[in-house]
Amino acid sequence: MSEMRTRLRAASGHQLFWPVVALLALLAANTVYRPSFVSIEVKDGHLYGSLVDIVRLSAPLILVALGMTLVIATGGIDLSVGSVCAIAGAMACLHISQAEDQNSLSTVFTALGMALGLALLLGAWNGLLVSVIGIQPIIATLILMVAGRGLAQLITEGQIITINSDPYRLIGAGYWLTLPVAILIAIAVSLLIAALTRRTALGLIIEAVGGNAEASRLAGIRSRRITFLVYVIAGVCAAIAGFMITADVSSAAGNSAGLWIELDAILAVVIGGTALSGGRFSLSGTVLGALLIQTLTTTVYAMNISPQTSLLFKAVVVIVVCLIQAPAFRAKLVRRRPPATPTVAAAPQKEQVPA
Protein backbone atom coordinates (compact mmCIF):
# COMPACT_ATOMS: atom_id res chain seq x y z
CA MET A 1 0.00 0.00 0.00
CA SER A 2 2.79 2.38 0.87
CA GLU A 3 4.57 1.55 -2.40
CA MET A 4 1.43 2.33 -4.42
CA ARG A 5 1.01 5.58 -2.54
CA THR A 6 4.61 6.50 -3.28
CA ARG A 7 4.15 5.80 -6.98
CA LEU A 8 0.94 7.82 -7.08
CA ARG A 9 2.64 10.73 -5.36
CA ALA A 10 5.53 10.57 -7.83
CA ALA A 11 3.12 10.43 -10.78
CA SER A 12 1.08 13.37 -9.47
CA GLY A 13 4.24 15.47 -9.48
CA HIS A 14 4.58 15.10 -13.25
CA GLN A 15 3.53 18.22 -15.15
CA LEU A 16 1.14 16.27 -17.42
CA PHE A 17 -0.56 14.21 -14.69
CA TRP A 18 -3.38 16.61 -13.84
CA PRO A 19 -4.16 17.63 -17.45
CA VAL A 20 -4.48 13.92 -18.28
CA VAL A 21 -6.77 13.44 -15.27
CA ALA A 22 -8.91 16.41 -16.33
CA LEU A 23 -9.12 15.13 -19.91
CA LEU A 24 -10.15 11.64 -18.76
CA ALA A 25 -12.73 13.17 -16.41
CA LEU A 26 -14.27 15.17 -19.26
CA LEU A 27 -14.37 12.08 -21.48
CA ALA A 28 -15.98 10.07 -18.69
CA ALA A 29 -18.58 12.80 -18.08
CA ASN A 30 -19.46 12.87 -21.78
CA THR A 31 -19.72 9.07 -21.85
CA VAL A 32 -22.09 9.04 -18.88
CA TYR A 33 -24.21 11.81 -20.39
CA ARG A 34 -24.18 10.23 -23.86
CA PRO A 35 -23.00 6.58 -24.04
CA SER A 36 -22.46 6.79 -27.81
CA PHE A 37 -19.78 9.41 -27.24
CA VAL A 38 -16.92 6.90 -27.37
CA SER A 39 -18.23 4.93 -30.33
CA ILE A 40 -16.17 5.13 -33.52
CA GLU A 41 -17.45 3.68 -36.78
CA VAL A 42 -16.33 3.52 -40.38
CA LYS A 43 -18.57 5.01 -43.07
CA ASP A 44 -17.53 5.14 -46.71
CA GLY A 45 -14.00 4.27 -45.67
CA HIS A 46 -13.77 7.17 -43.18
CA LEU A 47 -13.64 7.18 -39.40
CA TYR A 48 -16.57 8.93 -37.75
CA GLY A 49 -17.31 9.62 -34.10
CA SER A 50 -17.21 12.27 -31.40
CA LEU A 51 -13.62 11.45 -30.47
CA VAL A 52 -12.52 11.80 -34.10
CA ASP A 53 -14.33 15.14 -34.32
CA ILE A 54 -12.62 16.42 -31.18
CA VAL A 55 -9.17 15.66 -32.57
CA ARG A 56 -10.08 17.08 -36.00
CA LEU A 57 -11.48 20.30 -34.58
CA SER A 58 -8.50 20.70 -32.27
CA ALA A 59 -6.01 20.54 -35.18
CA PRO A 60 -6.00 24.34 -35.84
CA LEU A 61 -5.59 25.04 -32.13
CA ILE A 62 -2.72 22.54 -31.91
CA LEU A 63 -0.87 24.29 -34.73
CA VAL A 64 -1.35 27.76 -33.27
CA ALA A 65 -0.42 26.53 -29.78
CA LEU A 66 2.79 24.89 -31.04
CA GLY A 67 3.97 28.18 -32.52
CA MET A 68 2.87 29.97 -29.35
CA THR A 69 4.90 27.50 -27.27
CA LEU A 70 8.14 28.49 -28.98
CA VAL A 71 7.33 32.18 -28.61
CA ILE A 72 6.50 31.84 -24.91
CA ALA A 73 9.62 29.73 -24.38
CA THR A 74 11.71 32.77 -25.37
CA GLY A 75 9.86 34.88 -22.83
CA GLY A 76 7.52 36.50 -25.36
CA ILE A 77 3.87 36.34 -26.33
CA ASP A 78 2.01 36.56 -29.64
CA LEU A 79 -1.51 37.99 -29.55
CA SER A 80 -1.73 38.34 -33.33
CA VAL A 81 -2.02 34.67 -34.33
CA GLY A 82 -5.81 34.86 -34.61
CA SER A 83 -5.55 37.79 -37.00
CA VAL A 84 -2.88 35.97 -39.02
CA CYS A 85 -5.29 33.01 -39.31
CA ALA A 86 -7.96 35.31 -40.71
CA ILE A 87 -5.55 37.08 -43.10
CA ALA A 88 -4.06 33.87 -44.51
CA GLY A 89 -7.46 32.23 -44.95
CA ALA A 90 -8.89 35.35 -46.57
CA MET A 91 -5.97 35.69 -48.98
CA ALA A 92 -6.18 32.04 -50.04
CA CYS A 93 -9.95 32.13 -50.51
CA LEU A 94 -9.79 35.42 -52.42
CA HIS A 95 -7.36 34.03 -54.97
CA ILE A 96 -9.34 30.82 -55.39
CA SER A 97 -12.64 32.70 -55.78
CA GLN A 98 -11.21 34.80 -58.62
CA ALA A 99 -9.96 31.76 -60.57
CA GLU A 100 -11.90 30.33 -63.49
CA ASP A 101 -11.36 26.77 -62.30
CA GLN A 102 -11.45 26.64 -58.51
CA ASN A 103 -10.67 22.93 -58.52
CA SER A 104 -7.35 23.44 -60.27
CA LEU A 105 -4.41 22.24 -58.18
CA SER A 106 -2.18 24.99 -59.52
CA THR A 107 -4.71 27.59 -58.39
CA VAL A 108 -4.91 26.10 -54.90
CA PHE A 109 -1.13 25.77 -54.54
CA THR A 110 -0.64 29.35 -55.74
CA ALA A 111 -3.22 30.56 -53.21
CA LEU A 112 -1.51 28.64 -50.41
CA GLY A 113 1.90 29.97 -51.43
CA MET A 114 0.70 33.57 -51.51
CA ALA A 115 -0.97 33.25 -48.11
CA LEU A 116 2.07 31.55 -46.56
CA GLY A 117 4.32 34.29 -47.95
CA LEU A 118 2.10 36.94 -46.40
CA ALA A 119 2.11 35.09 -43.08
CA LEU A 120 5.92 34.95 -43.22
CA LEU A 121 6.01 38.72 -43.63
CA LEU A 122 3.60 39.24 -40.74
CA GLY A 123 5.62 36.94 -38.49
CA ALA A 124 8.80 38.73 -39.55
CA TRP A 125 7.13 42.04 -38.71
CA ASN A 126 6.42 40.85 -35.17
CA GLY A 127 9.95 39.50 -34.85
CA LEU A 128 11.40 42.77 -36.10
CA LEU A 129 9.45 44.83 -33.57
CA VAL A 130 10.41 42.56 -30.67
CA SER A 131 13.98 41.49 -31.42
CA VAL A 132 15.40 44.49 -33.31
CA ILE A 133 13.43 47.54 -32.20
CA GLY A 134 12.93 46.18 -28.68
CA ILE A 135 9.20 46.74 -28.22
CA GLN A 136 7.56 44.64 -25.53
CA PRO A 137 6.08 41.48 -27.14
CA ILE A 138 2.57 42.05 -25.79
CA ILE A 139 2.51 45.56 -27.30
CA ALA A 140 4.20 44.61 -30.58
CA THR A 141 1.79 41.75 -31.28
CA LEU A 142 -1.22 43.69 -30.02
CA ILE A 143 -0.62 46.11 -32.89
CA LEU A 144 -0.99 43.36 -35.47
CA MET A 145 -3.86 41.78 -33.53
CA VAL A 146 -5.91 44.94 -34.03
CA ALA A 147 -4.60 46.01 -37.42
CA GLY A 148 -4.67 42.44 -38.75
CA ARG A 149 -8.43 42.19 -38.41
CA GLY A 150 -8.72 45.37 -40.42
CA LEU A 151 -6.39 43.92 -43.06
CA ALA A 152 -8.47 40.75 -43.25
CA GLN A 153 -11.61 42.85 -43.65
CA LEU A 154 -9.84 44.84 -46.35
CA ILE A 155 -8.99 41.65 -48.25
CA THR A 156 -12.56 40.36 -48.05
CA GLU A 157 -14.02 43.88 -48.53
CA GLY A 158 -16.17 43.29 -45.47
CA GLN A 159 -17.93 40.34 -47.09
CA ILE A 160 -17.81 36.57 -46.60
CA ILE A 161 -15.86 35.01 -49.48
CA THR A 162 -17.43 31.70 -50.49
CA ILE A 163 -15.54 29.20 -52.62
CA ASN A 164 -16.27 25.82 -54.17
CA SER A 165 -12.89 24.11 -54.34
CA ASP A 166 -12.62 20.43 -53.54
CA PRO A 167 -8.79 20.43 -53.23
CA TYR A 168 -8.88 23.33 -50.78
CA ARG A 169 -11.75 21.83 -48.80
CA LEU A 170 -9.63 18.71 -48.43
CA ILE A 171 -7.37 20.61 -45.99
CA GLY A 172 -10.07 21.11 -43.39
CA ALA A 173 -12.78 18.57 -44.12
CA GLY A 174 -11.14 15.87 -46.27
CA TYR A 175 -10.02 12.35 -45.41
CA TRP A 176 -7.02 10.25 -46.33
CA LEU A 177 -6.35 6.71 -45.17
CA THR A 178 -9.63 6.84 -43.18
CA LEU A 179 -8.31 9.78 -41.11
CA PRO A 180 -9.16 13.48 -41.43
CA VAL A 181 -6.48 15.35 -43.34
CA ALA A 182 -6.46 18.06 -40.67
CA ILE A 183 -5.28 15.50 -38.11
CA LEU A 184 -2.54 14.26 -40.43
CA ILE A 185 -1.34 17.83 -41.06
CA ALA A 186 -1.29 18.56 -37.32
CA ILE A 187 0.71 15.37 -36.67
CA ALA A 188 3.18 16.19 -39.45
CA VAL A 189 3.76 19.75 -38.19
CA SER A 190 4.07 18.53 -34.59
CA LEU A 191 6.68 15.94 -35.57
CA LEU A 192 8.57 18.51 -37.65
CA ILE A 193 8.72 21.04 -34.81
CA ALA A 194 9.66 18.29 -32.35
CA ALA A 195 12.47 17.16 -34.65
CA LEU A 196 13.77 20.72 -35.01
CA THR A 197 13.69 21.47 -31.28
CA ARG A 198 14.56 18.10 -29.75
CA ARG A 199 16.85 16.49 -32.33
CA THR A 200 18.93 19.62 -32.84
CA ALA A 201 20.34 22.29 -30.56
CA LEU A 202 17.53 24.71 -31.43
CA GLY A 203 15.38 23.66 -28.48
CA LEU A 204 18.18 24.20 -25.97
CA ILE A 205 19.01 27.56 -27.53
CA ILE A 206 15.37 28.67 -27.30
CA GLU A 207 15.27 27.63 -23.65
CA ALA A 208 18.53 29.46 -22.99
CA VAL A 209 17.18 32.65 -24.56
CA GLY A 210 13.98 32.38 -22.56
CA GLY A 211 15.84 31.64 -19.33
CA ASN A 212 18.22 34.57 -19.60
CA ALA A 213 18.61 36.40 -22.90
CA GLU A 214 21.56 38.49 -21.74
CA ALA A 215 23.48 35.49 -20.40
CA SER A 216 22.82 33.54 -23.59
CA ARG A 217 24.10 36.50 -25.63
CA LEU A 218 27.28 36.60 -23.58
CA ALA A 219 27.63 32.85 -24.14
CA GLY A 220 27.71 33.42 -27.90
CA ILE A 221 24.05 32.78 -28.74
CA ARG A 222 22.50 35.26 -31.14
CA SER A 223 19.33 35.70 -29.15
CA ARG A 224 17.83 38.28 -31.50
CA ARG A 225 17.89 35.85 -34.41
CA ILE A 226 16.27 33.13 -32.30
CA THR A 227 13.54 35.53 -31.16
CA PHE A 228 12.96 36.62 -34.75
CA LEU A 229 12.78 32.98 -35.87
CA VAL A 230 10.14 31.87 -33.36
CA TYR A 231 7.76 34.67 -34.38
CA VAL A 232 8.14 33.64 -38.02
CA ILE A 233 7.37 30.02 -37.10
CA ALA A 234 4.32 31.17 -35.13
CA GLY A 235 3.08 33.09 -38.18
CA VAL A 236 3.46 30.06 -40.45
CA CYS A 237 1.64 27.79 -37.97
CA ALA A 238 -1.17 30.34 -37.70
CA ALA A 239 -1.46 30.50 -41.49
CA ILE A 240 -1.85 26.71 -41.78
CA ALA A 241 -4.48 26.85 -39.05
CA GLY A 242 -6.25 29.57 -41.03
CA PHE A 243 -6.33 27.27 -44.07
CA MET A 244 -7.99 24.56 -41.97
CA ILE A 245 -10.56 26.94 -40.48
CA THR A 246 -11.63 28.42 -43.82
CA ALA A 247 -11.42 25.12 -45.72
CA ASP A 248 -13.73 23.44 -43.21
CA VAL A 249 -16.57 25.84 -44.10
CA SER A 250 -15.41 26.72 -47.65
CA SER A 251 -15.57 30.41 -46.84
CA ALA A 252 -13.53 33.21 -45.28
CA ALA A 253 -14.84 35.87 -42.89
CA GLY A 254 -12.30 38.46 -41.86
CA ASN A 255 -13.99 39.32 -38.58
CA SER A 256 -14.68 35.81 -37.23
CA ALA A 257 -12.06 33.40 -38.61
CA GLY A 258 -9.67 32.45 -35.81
CA LEU A 259 -11.38 34.81 -33.37
CA TRP A 260 -9.89 34.46 -29.83
CA ILE A 261 -7.87 31.41 -30.85
CA GLU A 262 -4.80 33.16 -29.43
CA LEU A 263 -6.31 33.01 -25.94
CA ASP A 264 -7.08 29.30 -26.23
CA ALA A 265 -3.53 28.76 -27.51
CA ILE A 266 -2.04 30.53 -24.49
CA LEU A 267 -4.22 28.44 -22.17
CA ALA A 268 -3.13 25.25 -23.95
CA VAL A 269 0.52 26.21 -23.52
CA VAL A 270 0.08 26.99 -19.82
CA ILE A 271 -1.90 23.81 -19.16
CA GLY A 272 0.84 21.87 -20.91
CA GLY A 273 3.39 23.02 -18.35
CA THR A 274 5.26 25.79 -20.19
CA ALA A 275 5.90 28.78 -17.94
CA LEU A 276 4.88 32.20 -19.23
CA SER A 277 8.17 33.57 -17.91
CA GLY A 278 10.06 31.57 -20.54
CA GLY A 279 12.62 28.81 -20.37
CA ARG A 280 11.73 25.12 -20.56
CA PHE A 281 8.79 24.13 -22.74
CA SER A 282 6.80 20.98 -23.50
CA LEU A 283 5.41 20.32 -26.97
CA SER A 284 3.57 17.18 -25.87
CA GLY A 285 2.02 19.13 -23.02
CA THR A 286 0.85 21.80 -25.45
CA VAL A 287 -0.84 19.19 -27.66
CA LEU A 288 -2.50 17.69 -24.59
CA GLY A 289 -3.66 21.15 -23.48
CA ALA A 290 -5.19 21.84 -26.89
CA LEU A 291 -7.06 18.52 -26.79
CA LEU A 292 -8.29 19.34 -23.29
CA ILE A 293 -9.62 22.74 -24.34
CA GLN A 294 -11.38 21.33 -27.42
CA THR A 295 -12.88 18.51 -25.35
CA LEU A 296 -14.12 21.10 -22.87
CA THR A 297 -15.70 23.11 -25.69
CA THR A 298 -17.37 19.99 -27.08
CA THR A 299 -18.64 19.10 -23.60
CA VAL A 300 -20.20 22.54 -23.18
CA TYR A 301 -22.07 22.19 -26.48
CA ALA A 302 -23.05 18.55 -25.93
CA MET A 303 -24.55 19.18 -22.50
CA ASN A 304 -26.64 22.10 -23.79
CA ILE A 305 -25.08 24.59 -21.41
CA SER A 306 -26.48 28.04 -22.13
CA PRO A 307 -24.20 30.40 -24.08
CA GLN A 308 -24.34 32.89 -21.21
CA THR A 309 -22.67 30.43 -18.84
CA SER A 310 -20.54 28.37 -21.25
CA LEU A 311 -17.56 30.73 -21.13
CA LEU A 312 -17.77 30.89 -17.33
CA PHE A 313 -17.89 27.09 -17.12
CA LYS A 314 -14.88 26.85 -19.42
CA ALA A 315 -12.93 29.42 -17.41
CA VAL A 316 -13.66 27.66 -14.10
CA VAL A 317 -12.44 24.29 -15.41
CA VAL A 318 -9.23 25.80 -16.81
CA ILE A 319 -8.54 27.68 -13.56
CA VAL A 320 -9.05 24.53 -11.49
CA VAL A 321 -6.68 22.53 -13.71
CA CYS A 322 -4.00 25.24 -13.56
CA LEU A 323 -4.30 25.58 -9.79
CA ILE A 324 -4.12 21.85 -9.12
CA GLN A 325 -1.18 21.62 -11.49
CA ALA A 326 0.76 24.28 -9.55
CA PRO A 327 3.08 22.68 -6.96
CA ALA A 328 2.81 25.67 -4.60
CA PHE A 329 -0.98 25.46 -4.54
CA ARG A 330 -0.92 21.70 -3.93
CA ALA A 331 1.55 22.19 -1.08
CA LYS A 332 -0.80 24.66 0.60
CA LEU A 333 -3.87 22.55 -0.08
CA VAL A 334 -2.51 19.32 1.34
CA ARG A 335 -1.98 19.46 5.07
CA ARG A 336 1.18 17.71 6.02
CA ARG A 337 1.36 15.92 9.32
CA PRO A 338 3.85 17.39 11.78
CA PRO A 339 6.88 15.20 12.29
CA ALA A 340 6.56 12.90 15.26
CA THR A 341 8.73 13.91 18.18
CA PRO A 342 10.88 11.03 19.36
CA THR A 343 10.20 9.94 22.92
CA VAL A 344 13.22 9.92 25.19
CA ALA A 345 13.30 7.02 27.59
CA ALA A 346 13.50 8.06 31.20
CA ALA A 347 16.80 7.31 32.85
CA PRO A 348 16.60 4.61 35.51
CA GLN A 349 16.58 6.02 39.00
CA LYS A 350 19.27 4.92 41.38
CA GLU A 351 18.19 3.14 44.50
CA GLN A 352 18.78 5.22 47.56
CA VAL A 353 20.82 3.40 50.17
CA PRO A 354 19.61 4.21 53.68
CA ALA A 355 22.27 5.83 55.75
Side-chain angles (χ1 to χ4, degrees):
M1 187 67 180
S2 60
E3 183 180 356
M4 183 180 299
R5 186 177 301 175
T6 303
R7 290 181 178 180
L8 182 61
R9 184 176 301 175
S12 63
H14 195 276
Q15 62 181 5
L16 300 183
F17 177 80
W18 292 109
V20 170
V21 170
L23 180 59
L24 294 177
L26 286 175
L27 295 177
N30 279 278
T31 304
V32 172
Y33 183 79
R34 184 162 50 98
S36 61
F37 176 80
V38 294
S39 63
I40 298 177
E41 55 184 355
V42 180
K43 293 182 179 179
D44 299 329
H46 303 155
L47 289 178
Y48 286 92
S50 298
L51 296 178
V52 178
D53 290 337
I54 288 176
V55 180
R56 181 180 65 85
L57 294 175
S58 64
L61 179 57
I62 290 174
L63 294 177
V64 174
L66 288 174
M68 186 73 74
T69 301
L70 300 183
V71 172
I72 291 178
T74 61
I77 199 77
D78 192 349
L79 300 179
S80 66
V81 287
S83 297
V84 175
C85 287
I87 293 171
M91 175 62 71
C93 289
L94 176 64
H95 181 77
I96 294 175
S97 66
Q98 295 175 346
E100 296 181 358
D101 184 10
Q102 296 188 8
N103 291 319
S104 173
L105 290 177
S106 61
T107 299
V108 174
F109 285 140
T110 302
L112 296 178
M114 293 172 57
L116 280 175
L118 181 57
L120 279 171
L121 291 177
L122 296 176
W125 168 257
N126 285 333
L128 179 68
L129 293 181
V130 175
S131 63
V132 178
I133 300 180
I135 301 177
Q136 289 292 329
I138 191 172
I139 302 300
T141 57
L142 184 63
I143 296 173
L144 185 57
M145 176 184 178
V146 177
R149 287 292 169 183
L151 179 58
Q153 291 276 42
L154 184 63
I155 294 174
T156 61
E157 296 181 353
Q159 305 295 323
I160 297 178
I161 300 177
T162 304
I163 61 175
N164 186 17
S165 175
D166 292 335
Y168 188 76
R169 180 175 171 79
L170 185 69
I171 299 174
Y175 288 82
W176 188 62
L177 297 177
T178 72
L179 291 175
V181 175
I183 296 178
L184 298 176
I185 294 175
I187 293 175
V189 175
S190 301
L191 293 177
L192 178 60
I193 294 179
L196 289 175
T197 56
R198 297 309 182 192
R199 297 298 180 182
T200 66
L202 180 61
L204 294 176
I205 294 174
I206 290 175
E207 292 177 347
V209 172
N212 192 324
E214 182 63 21
S216 62
R217 185 186 66 82
L218 295 176
I221 298 175
R222 298 181 178 180
S223 56
R224 290 186 177 181
R225 291 188 179 183
I226 298 299
T227 303
F228 181 85
L229 176 63
V230 295
Y231 281 97
V232 173
I233 295 175
V236 173
C237 290
I240 301 175
F243 299 154
M244 291 182 180
I245 294 172
T246 54
D248 190 25
V249 293
S250 295
S251 62
N255 60 343
S256 61
L259 186 63
W260 307 127
I261 195 173
E262 58 272 2
L263 301 183
D264 285 342
I266 295 172
L267 287 176
V269 174
V270 173
I271 290 174
T274 301
L276 288 176
S277 57
R280 297 185 64 84
F281 62 93
S282 173
L283 297 177
S284 58
T286 296
V287 174
L288 179 61
L291 291 174
L292 175 61
I293 291 178
Q294 183 57 49
T295 304
L296 181 58
T297 304
T298 303
T299 303
V300 168
Y301 292 148
M303 294 185 175
N304 296 323
I305 298 177
S306 63
Q308 291 78 11
T309 59
S310 60
L311 294 178
L312 178 60
F313 175 79
K314 185 177 179 180
V316 168
V317 173
V318 172
I319 290 175
V320 170
V321 173
C322 291
L323 286 178
I324 295 178
Q325 191 180 7
F329 180 81
R330 294 202 309 270
K332 293 181 180 179
L333 187 64
V334 179
R335 295 182 179 180
R336 298 180 177 179
R337 297 180 180 179
T341 56
T343 57
V344 181
Q349 295 181 355
K350 296 182 179 180
E351 296 182 0
Q352 295 181 357
V353 180

